[in-house]
Amino acid sequence: MSSQLFCPSRFLRQGSKSVTTILKNKSFYSSYAKTLAPGDQLHGYRVQQVRQVPELELTAIALEHEATGAQHLHIDREDSNNVFAVGFHTPVSDSTGVPHILEHTTLCGSEKYPVRDPFFKMLNRSLATFMNAFTASDYTIYPFATTNPIDYANLRNVYMDAAFHPRLEKLDFKQEGWRLEHEDPTDTSTPITFKGVVYNEMKGQTSDANYLYYIRAHESMFPGTTYEHSSGGEPARIPDLTHEQLVNFHKTHYNPSNARFYTYGNFPLEDHLSAIQERLSSFKRVDVPYVNKKVTPWTEPRKMSSTCAFDPLSPPDRQTRVSLSFLGNETRDTFETFSMRLLSYLLLDGHASPMYKALIDTNLGSEFSANTGYDSSTSTSCLSIGLQGVKDSDVALVQERIVQVLNDVKKEGFDNKRIEAAIHQMELGQKHKTADFGLTLMHGITSGWFNQVDPIDLLEINKNIERLKQELAEGDFFESRIDKYLLNNPHQLIFTMQPDQEYATKLSKAEEQRLADKVNQLSDTDKAEIAKDGKQLSANQDKVEDLSCLPTLELNDISPKMKRTVLDHTGLCNTPVQWRTTSTNGITYFRAISSLPSLQDDLKVYLPLFCDALLSLGTRTQSMAEIDEEIRLYTGGLRASTTVSTSHSDIDHTEEGIALIGNCLDRNVDKMYDILSKLILETNFDDTEKLKTLIIGNASGLVNSVAEAGHIFARTFAASSLTPAMHNAELLSGMTQVTFMNQLAATEDLTEVVAKLKTIAATVLKQPTLRVAVTCGEDAVSANESALSRFITSLPNDDHVPQHQHSNVFVPKYAKTFFPLPFSVNFSAKAYRGVPYTHADGAKLQVLSSLMTNHYLHREIREKNGAYGGGARYAGLNGLLSFYSYRDPRTLETLQTYASATDWILQRQFTEQELTEAKLSIFQGVDAPISVSEEGMLQFVNGVSDDMRQRRREQLLAVTQNDIRQVAEDYLKTNEASMAILGEANDKLMNDSSWTIQQFGQ
Ligand SMILES: [Zn+2]
């Protein structure tokens, strides 16, 4: 996604499944380990610990600011993608969403930077590789990352001033939090309604049944503590919050004594400390507020239930969710947390896990419930196991099965191979070089850090692995924990959620009632204020601001030359192979694309299922559970997926293919290629039981993703009538695929499905259609060559490659389509045809999208219409320009905004500074560090060479005001567009004959 969303939800959920991803360099050395020692004083700080973590090749330094008690963790590591973050402990005692609204309002201007939304403004004056803010259940954190030292200092100033000296004006609170306002703020005869960014954001969040399930189950586990409240805010409770309470919450929580600072990378610690210390000098040490986090343990299990909206996209008789949650260990005990995470992984992860076999393979539910896994984001952890897509009548059976599995595992223990595979995954995870290592590390430690865990303990993975091996040898390791935490734990919750046909109606009735109560109490003075503030807010939004107080990078901070990637191209057994030899820490990364012959749409729509089938069904001689175990024991994971790419020189030309992706330690390359060819050659498509499970899981997963990322579905659908590539993307991953998969899920007889999958298997993944990319160390090339040759020759080598049959010439059509869906807020998109990647106008359209988003669409769609996000995006590789809105309560107004955007840009005169800002924001993406496995992939997948990218770079840097006008005339003014909306049934759209109504499932 191009625009940044300030969303807490991603972060509220701490998944159990990820094994920490970490990286390792050969030349690990830090001078701090020699020069600093506990007790040393440095710029007003006292050093508390200096510890080397060799497995991550870093030195961690913990310090305390002496005057205020502010905690600081610095991670010294040879990595140019430096991170800064400041966080505050913000537990809550109600569900008004005060920390979340504060997180938003903090970013609305500060003492030194008294402009509206300096944060968004900085997005365009910086080369940051990451900027965001998160509200978690008991803390709030503001991180950024950049490789540029000037940029780092600029952003640090803005972040520090925002956190410690925000203006927190009443109007900002109203805009970001909640307010009463006339529907049309300029017309007091229109009815008064609730508005506000967070208000709508949380309405959107809670209309996602998975989120609702997760949050309700979690809150119910911790009665009497801060965790029984929602830090993001309950839409029903948000209007209880006053501006005064917000300001007080800031005063008591956003002070250095309650803060944690995190710095990471290769910039010097001294610079960080002296800069931060300067800003903290006006503060004194204060007491931090106490909030209870310790839940009183229950003496017997509890049952709770709740309701959610009925989902017309899913089978009506399979919409129940049920889970068992168990109170776990104190997260302060880091080894126990590590052990519980591993236990959760062994119980739940992958086809070979006992819970998967007992719950998913048996089709008791469509997939695990949203809360399933180990959650250590609270001071006492919790482990949950549950299902969604369950029949009402099966609720008791699900509980019985879970308990049965726990009893079996306690008796029989886990297979040693499974434990070995889990440890292998950790080993490999440590070696994998990611581009955002500093942020990954931060996310891994913050919630512990705010709960009295020593953050450095969380980094020492090898220490935990060593202790684990020792204790495993002593026996009874997992068995005793299953007993203590799961089987004999009275603090357990059975939580069910069932759909209610009336849910949405009840919800909006309740909202109307709350509104009526508020409105009835309004005095004439209140009403006058509402009218005045509404007008003032609209006026503010149109005000052109002087931004000269904000620091900025210049155009010449962008390097005119791009970093090139050295690639070798050879052939192996007539298959083109792209080699990238570089330091990979002993990992081989493999990717292959088999391009497809032209298939009919009715076969093509089966391709995603075919790809998933390769990694889900097993073969005639081995179950998927066995193969999955091999995959975990010998590789870092294998994937098969469809790919669609547009030609870099013709947007009406597309390549479709199947991509195979995998990585492994160099010593396992033989095994990885063997597993791959086994999957391709021997997958048993006749296993209809497994196939059924797969289809049901896919259907349910797709439905969930529509609620989460509806704007992408809207955008894909709108674009699908414009280019052949997007036509295919819609079939493979758009609403068409969602509908198709749900129709399959309702089909009892899978004979035809099996036949289609076999037809595809006989047509694709053949030697002559294959090309391969390998990234590995110099010393692993020859091992890869021989293993790869065997892999390639194992594939069918038909003399006859299906020729591109005569395919119809693609003619763009312009359509308006509305998908009525039960969302309380909508998603919309409008798409235009652009140009191929190598066309000079592409760069201009890209700058145009950025200008339009920053100076027009963001203001109109987010600030005025109250949508959570909105903007324009130019997809350079696909040659498509699209406008979109995300969680949008006023879609009809947004359509008006889209319609007037062209006229707006044609008359708008941009300054040089504004053009520079647009370019900076584009180069944040262009120059963002990428992980080693992604190097050279633009060349391999899209055929885009470094020369083409260098040309594009120069074109981007050269874009002028006249260019913007030219492309606006050429592509927006004269061209037609397609539109799509997903959301609440709307009379105006339903009765407008220019819109096609697409009922789901038809
Ligand atoms: Zn938010």
Side-chain angles (χ1 to χ4, degrees):
M1 218 176 309
S2 60
S3 85
Q4 304 241 9
L5 301 173
F6 301 89
C7 181
S9 64
R10 291 285 103 210
F11 200 52
L12 284 167
R13 260 168 73 171
Q14 301 254 340
S16 67
K17 290 174 191 167
S18 70
V19 178
T20 325
T21 315
I22 19 203
L23 127 117
K24 199 165 176 178
N25 276 334
K26 277 189 186 119
S27 54
F28 162 60
Y29 172 74
S30 166
S31 58
Y32 294 121
K34 289 189 181 150
T35 55
L36 283 182
D40 286 357
Q41 280 170 303
L42 206 61
H43 298 288
Y45 285 80
R46 187 176 292 276
V47 177
Q48 294 174 313
Q49 297 185 64
V50 181
R51 262 150 84 183
Q52 293 192 307
V53 184
E55 60 266 40
L56 305 182
E57 312 228 303
L58 59 82
T59 301
I61 301 142
L63 308 104
E64 185 178 291
H65 185 239
E66 294 196 286
T68 63
Q71 302 291 312
H72 190 119
L73 179 66
H74 177 65
I75 305 287
D76 178 48
R77 193 154 180 285
E78 201 33 64
D79 183 346
S80 63
N81 200 8
N82 285 264
V83 178
F84 170 91
V86 55
F88 303 95
H89 191 211
T90 52
V92 288
S93 49
D94 60 44
S95 292
T96 56
V98 57
H100 184 192
I101 294 171
L102 180 57
E103 174 224 303
H104 280 245
T105 322
T106 295
L107 306 172
C108 289
S110 60
E111 257 171 36
K112 270 178 74 179
Y113 309 108
V115 295
R116 207 155 37 84
D117 220 346
F119 213 70
F120 262 107
K121 306 282 169 14
M122 283 309 288
L123 284 172
N124 311 312
R125 302 164 82 92
S126 151
L127 285 169
T129 56
F130 183 86
M131 278 179 78
N132 216 329
F134 299 99
T135 310
S137 58
D138 57 8
Y139 66 94
T140 309
I141 195 160
Y142 300 82
F144 70 79
T146 179
T147 59
N148 181 307
I150 303 167
D151 200 21
Y152 192 94
N154 287 349
L155 288 169
R156 183 177 54 209
N157 286 339
V158 172
Y159 267 57
M160 293 278 284
D161 206 54
F164 292 104
H165 307 287
R167 291 188 299 179
L168 301 184
E169 285 179 359
K170 191 164 185 187
L171 274 183
D172 294 329
F173 164 71
K174 287 188 161 194
Q175 176 184 290
E176 296 298 317
W178 75 276
R179 65 184 181 276
L180 291 173
E181 191 177 275
H182 291 280
E183 262 171 24
D184 176 353
T186 58
D187 179 358
T188 50
S189 69
T190 56
I192 290 178
T193 174
F194 285 123
K195 292 185 187 176
V197 175
V198 170
Y199 185 79
N200 282 317
E201 179 190 337
M202 294 317 291
K203 260 176 82 175
Q205 274 295 357
T206 45
S207 71
D208 175 350
N210 277 332
Y211 173 82
L212 198 64
Y213 186 78
Y214 166 78
I215 204 93
R216 291 284 177 269
H218 200 249
E219 286 162 4
S220 311
M221 277 298 280
F222 301 97
T225 73
T226 178
Y227 303 119
E228 75 175 329
H229 308 291
S230 160
S231 63
E234 286 291 338
R237 295 276 70 85
I238 289 173
D240 294 343
L241 185 70
T242 65
H243 176 239
E244 196 189 350
Q245 286 168 333
L246 182 92
V247 172
N248 277 336
F249 193 86
H250 176 266
K251 205 176 285 165
T252 46
H253 292 79
Y254 280 37
N255 58 62
S257 306
N258 195 36
R260 311 270 189 284
F261 289 86
Y262 172 83
T263 49
Y264 164 92
N266 61 2
F267 295 161
L269 171 65
E270 289 81 354
D271 289 0
H272 297 312
L273 296 181
S274 69
I276 296 170
Q277 140 83 3
E278 206 185 301
R279 314 303 299 274
L280 299 187
S281 56
S282 58
F283 289 90
K284 286 197 295 285
R285 190 185 287 257
V286 295
D287 287 337
V288 295
Y290 169 81
V291 169
N292 181 38
K293 291 185 166 187
K294 286 280 161 281
V295 65
T296 311
W298 301 346
T299 49
E300 56 185 27
R302 296 184 186 179
K303 269 190 186 177
M304 287 181 197
S305 58
S306 180
T307 55
C308 63
F310 178 79
D311 183 355
L313 281 64
S314 298
D317 62 333
R318 294 190 65 150
Q319 299 205 11
T320 297
R321 293 170 165 83
V322 56
S323 66
L324 299 187
S325 296
F326 306 89
L327 192 70
N329 60 299
E330 298 300 311
T331 47
R332 231 178 318 178
D333 183 344
T334 47
F335 179 70
E336 201 59 11
T337 300
F338 173 82
S339 309
M340 289 295 284
R341 183 162 289 134
L342 187 58
L343 173 61
S344 160
Y345 175 90
L346 292 170
L347 282 172
L348 290 158
D349 223 57
H351 292 262
S353 71
M355 288 295 173
Y356 189 96
K357 285 179 181 166
L359 303 174
I360 308 282
D361 270 350
T362 53
N363 281 334
L364 260 181
S366 57
E367 52 185 321
F368 286 124
S369 58
N371 61 338
T372 294
Y374 178 66
D375 188 332
S376 61
S377 66
T378 37
S379 79
T380 315
S381 69
C382 108
L383 196 153
S384 305
I385 303 167
L387 284 177
Q388 53 181 302
V390 176
K391 284 191 187 135
D392 240 1
S393 51
D394 283 344
V395 166
L397 187 59
V398 173
Q399 295 170 42
E400 275 166 37
R401 284 276 171 83
I402 293 172
V403 175
Q404 182 63 45
V405 170
L406 293 174
N407 273 309
D408 292 350
V409 174
K410 190 193 149 194
K411 219 182 306 157
E412 290 149 27
F414 291 107
D415 185 355
N416 269 341
K417 266 203 165 163
R418 260 188 85 63
I419 299 173
E420 225 178 283
I423 295 174
H424 168 259
Q425 292 296 310
M426 288 185 227
E427 184 193 358
L428 208 138
Q430 288 183 28
K431 288 172 180 279
H432 180 51
K433 282 192 181 182
T434 59
D436 57 354
F437 185 73
L439 286 163
T440 309
L441 222 54
M442 182 198 84
H443 285 308
I445 60 173
T446 28
S447 79
W449 199 10
F450 282 104
N451 281 296
Q452 276 89 48
V453 178
D454 181 339
I456 309 179
D457 285 349
L458 292 170
L459 302 176
E460 295 186 306
I461 295 148
N462 280 0
K463 214 181 238 176
N464 283 328
I465 295 180
E466 282 318 307
R467 184 170 158 196
L468 171 77
K469 284 178 179 166
Q470 238 171 47
E471 296 195 12
L472 272 173
E474 289 161 18
D476 201 31
F477 186 82
F478 292 116
E479 293 82 345
S480 62
R481 285 175 175 82
I482 289 174
D483 214 35
K484 175 177 171 193
Y485 294 113
L486 307 177
L487 286 171
N488 285 313
N489 185 352
H491 197 127
Q492 64 174 273
L493 173 72
I494 301 151
F495 189 70
T496 50
M497 188 177 262
Q498 272 147 339
D500 175 359
Q501 294 273 13
E502 301 297 305
Y503 184 82
T505 322
K506 287 179 192 161
L507 208 64
S508 61
K509 276 228 174 84
E511 189 185 28
E512 273 165 37
Q513 188 57 52
R514 282 198 306 277
L515 181 66
D517 290 347
K518 288 256 181 209
V519 172
N520 287 340
Q521 286 173 20
L522 293 175
S523 64
D524 286 346
T525 338
D526 294 334
K527 286 183 185 157
E529 189 188 313
I530 287 170
K532 191 178 120 237
D533 284 355
K535 284 181 189 144
Q536 183 70 49
L537 272 174
S538 327
N540 282 355
Q541 284 156 353
D542 291 324
K543 206 162 67 187
V544 179
E545 289 187 298
D546 175 12
L547 300 178
S548 57
C549 62
L550 287 173
T552 183
L553 290 181
E554 309 292 336
L555 204 55
N556 59 22
D557 286 309
I558 301 171
S559 158
K561 293 262 174 271
M562 63 169 274
K563 257 202 213 137
R564 286 172 179 265
T565 308
V566 181
L567 301 171
D568 289 319
H569 292 92
T570 65
L572 262 184
C573 321
N574 292 324
T575 297
V577 182
Q578 170 182 305
W579 294 93
R580 165 78 178 146
T581 43
T582 181
S583 151
T584 63
N585 280 324
I587 300 182
T588 288
Y589 298 92
F590 164 86
R591 190 179 306 217
I593 291 179
S594 157
S595 60
L596 292 173
S598 63
L599 302 174
Q600 297 296 326
D601 282 359
D602 62 344
L603 195 57
K604 214 181 269 178
V605 75
Y606 282 89
L607 282 169
L609 181 63
F610 172 80
C611 290
D612 291 337
L614 293 181
L615 281 142
S616 307
L617 299 187
T619 67
R620 290 197 186 276
T621 52
Q622 264 186 310
S623 71
M624 194 59 219
E626 289 168 311
I627 299 174
D628 192 54
E629 208 140 86
E630 285 177 15
I631 292 174
R632 283 158 198 264
L633 203 49
Y634 300 119
T635 80
L638 301 177
R639 273 194 298 136
S641 65
T642 56
T643 96
V644 178
S645 58
T646 306
S647 159
H648 51 63
S649 45
D650 177 4
I651 57 171
D652 287 319
H653 192 266
T654 172
E655 185 200 39
E656 297 159 67
I658 290 180
L660 302 170
I661 300 165
N663 67 75
C664 65
L665 294 173
D666 292 340
R667 64 168 192 257
N668 293 327
V669 287
D670 274 331
K671 295 216 169 66
M672 175 174 74
Y673 292 121
D674 284 350
I675 300 172
L676 275 169
S677 60
K678 175 162 65 187
L679 295 172
I680 295 169
L681 299 172
E682 298 171 31
T683 289
N684 177 16
F685 295 102
D686 286 314
D687 186 343
T688 46
E689 279 305 304
K690 269 278 192 191
L691 191 57
K692 183 94 200 156
T693 304
L694 175 64
I695 291 170
I696 290 173
N698 279 5
S700 148
L702 282 165
V703 165
N704 291 335
S705 58
V706 176
E708 268 176 35
H711 60 307
I712 296 175
F713 285 89
R715 201 155 63 196
T716 305
F717 194 88
S720 67
S721 57
L722 302 183
T723 68
M726 292 311 290
H727 169 80
N728 289 329
E730 169 58 29
L731 276 180
L732 301 175
S733 62
M735 287 305 287
T736 310
Q737 180 67 217
V738 182
T739 308
F740 170 71
M741 200 52 75
N742 279 277
Q743 281 162 351
L744 283 194
T747 312
E748 281 306 321
D749 181 4
L750 295 182
T751 319
E752 196 194 325
V753 180
V754 172
K756 297 269 196 207
L757 294 179
K758 285 181 173 171
T759 308
I760 294 174
T763 320
V764 303
L765 293 166
K766 304 198 170 182
Q767 269 189 57
T769 66
L770 204 67
R771 66 178 188 276
V772 172
V774 176
T775 300
C776 64
E778 199 79 60
D779 49 349
V781 171
S782 73
N784 266 294
E785 273 175 344
S786 57
L788 192 54
S789 303
R790 278 202 296 127
F791 169 71
I792 293 168
T793 46
S794 77
L795 300 182
N797 187 9
D798 300 5
D799 285 326
H800 176 72
V801 184
Q803 286 303 310
H804 277 252
Q805 300 144 9
H806 129 94
S807 59
N808 294 332
V809 177
F810 186 88
V811 184
K813 283 193 275 298
Y814 301 96
K816 296 197 235 174
T817 314
F818 177 49
F819 291 84
L821 291 168
F823 302 147
S824 57
V825 282
N826 300 343
F827 303 96
S828 75
K830 181 175 188 178
Y832 294 85
R833 261 168 76 93
V835 291
Y837 184 82
T838 49
H839 194 292
D841 285 348
K844 301 171 192 169
L845 285 164
Q846 204 168 344
V847 177
L848 171 141
S849 319
S850 172
L851 289 167
M852 232 179 204
T853 303
N854 293 326
H855 298 282
Y856 186 68
L857 296 173
H858 176 256
R859 182 183 74 213
E860 299 293 320
I861 299 172
R862 180 168 156 120
E863 295 181 356
K864 289 193 187 165
N865 292 347
Y868 190 53
R873 178 175 182 271
Y874 184 68
L877 291 168
N878 291 329
L880 283 163
L881 178 81
S882 48
F883 300 154
Y884 67 93
S885 71
Y886 180 79
R887 290 191 182 153
D888 181 355
R890 291 159 60 115
T891 321
L892 294 176
E893 284 85 344
T894 298
L895 295 184
Q896 283 304 316
T897 303
Y898 294 161
S900 33
T902 306
D903 285 339
W904 175 84
I905 199 142
L906 281 170
Q907 54 75 31
R908 176 72 148 80
Q909 193 67 39
F910 294 101
T911 64
E912 272 312 305
Q913 173 63 26
E914 286 169 337
L915 282 166
T916 297
E917 289 179 5
K919 293 172 190 176
L920 281 166
S921 72
I922 290 167
F923 275 93
Q924 283 169 6
V926 174
D927 285 346
I930 56 171
S931 61
V932 67
S933 57
E934 287 304 311
E935 290 172 3
M937 282 305 127
L938 216 47
Q939 167 80 60
F940 179 69
V941 178
N942 303 85
V944 172
S945 67
D946 279 359
D947 286 341
M948 291 177 195
R949 295 174 65 198
Q950 177 60 35
R951 214 156 35 237
R952 175 69 152 214
R953 188 178 190 90
E954 289 157 16
Q955 287 164 347
L956 279 168
L957 289 169
V959 171
T960 64
Q961 161 78 40
N962 282 341
D963 293 336
I964 299 297
R965 191 158 296 153
Q966 174 236 315
V967 290
E969 289 278 359
D970 291 354
Y971 299 93
L972 297 179
K973 192 152 192 200
T974 48
N975 275 14
E976 284 186 272
S978 278
M979 289 191 257
I981 297 175
L982 272 58
E984 206 173 20
N986 177 302
D987 290 345
K988 210 160 170 192
L989 289 177
M990 303 289 272
N991 298 325
D992 181 340
S993 61
S994 70
W995 284 80
T996 306
I997 311 300
Q998 188 101 27
Q999 294 289 354
F1000 186 77
Q1002 288 166 16

